[in-house]
Amino acid sequence: MALRGARPKRQVELAEMTAGTPFAKRTREVHGTCCIGGGGAQAIPRRELALLAPVVKIAGMDIGVLLPTGTAQWGPADDPRELVAFGRQAERLGVSSLFVNDSLISPRIEALTMLAALAPATESVTLGTAALMPFLRRPVQAAQSLGSIDVLSGGRLTVAVGAGFPGRFGRPLYTLSELPWERRFARLDETVALWRALWDGADSFHGEILQFDDIPPTTRPSQVGGPPIWLGGATPAALARTGRMYDGWLPYPPDPADYASGLRDVRRAAAGAGRAAEDITSALFVSVRIDDDAESGRRALEAYARATYGMPLEELERIQAVVTGSADQVLRRLGQYVAAGAQHIVARLGALDLRSQRDQLERIADLIPAIQKAMDHTAVSEGSREGVDSRSR
């Protein structure tokens, strides 16, 4: 039993959450918010599958947005059916990915339902989850749903997964799902391994937790071996599991320095497993609000934090990456994450109605060329350093 990318076959490590990075400690202090608790993804190339409408794809860098699927992000007059048009607009503006989150904490359009609606309505953007919580679904049925979305989208799906956080953002959901909270990380790893096996044509699966025989044929995804699977955890155990077994990393650390140190640990674990650093997509989940007036932007994010999480912005900023200010200020802050190694930014737009969401979408799309320059500068700087290092040897 092995996750994609962990070759040759190896036992899935049954890792548990442990104390570790400053970010992880801050997260647990407030019971870790959001749905990105610990997920994973596969970083095999798939842009050749997007053969239809062109999209502004930054060389080495992707800029994506999180669709406002939760009712907390809708105004009284908003029609949630506009979300499909929102996704098409994002694609036209040059955004390279559309992500949705997954939760039972508040009412929202269910994640896989939203992606299924977007699949035939869009042409080239990556469709993703940030993050899917597999324990909310029967594992074989989830494999069928994910495979179907990948087929409908022509192979554009990326699946970031999570195991849920302690406190009200995670543990009660296991009760609703009639699953034990204990060994949740092992269950997550085995679920992903099961999906991969089914997508490769297996008709049985025997893990330590999941046991299935005589499984009917599952819909085979367009992508060979199935869509990439990303993991979003930032604890030492999660970083090690990402490096060994998953195809991408999608955390949301408030400090770019934490991102850089976490990515080093991921790559160190990958090297220990015989994998190359480029086998793992380094992504970032970040809340963004662009506003010409700094105070106005913070007020808007304050309202967003309270509506979405029931907590003040100051508390949210301790555990999640949050960026606000003028376009230049937001660009500088995002550039720090790019310099720390982020290759794919998933921006959650800090607004509480669809009109304001569209405004923020246009503002962040305007930053794409400048972020490309920041990525190019980082690549040149790294190349220069490597050249100096090689000459010194």
Side-chain angles (χ1 to χ4, degrees), residues 267 378-393:
R267 289 174 173 171
T378 299
V380 169
S381 298
E382 290 179 350
S384 299
R385 285 197 299 270
E386 288 174 2
V388 170
D389 291 343
S390 63
R391 288 194 297 271
S392 66
R393 290 194 294 269

Side-chain angles (χ1 to χ4, degrees), residues 8 12 14 26 28 31 89 106 108 110 116 133 152-153 167 183 200 222 244 250 257 282 290 306 318 335 358 381:
V12 173
L14 304 180
R26 287 196 297 271
R28 288 192 293 276
H31 306 296
Q89 179 187 7
S106 60
R108 68 190 61 234
E110 191 271 332
M133 293 190 287
L152 290 172
S153 67
R183 302 192 71 196
D200 282 335
S222 289
R244 288 195 310 272
L250 182 62
S282 52
I290 302 174
R306 291 184 181 276
R318 294 174 57 210
R358 285 190 290 270
S381 298

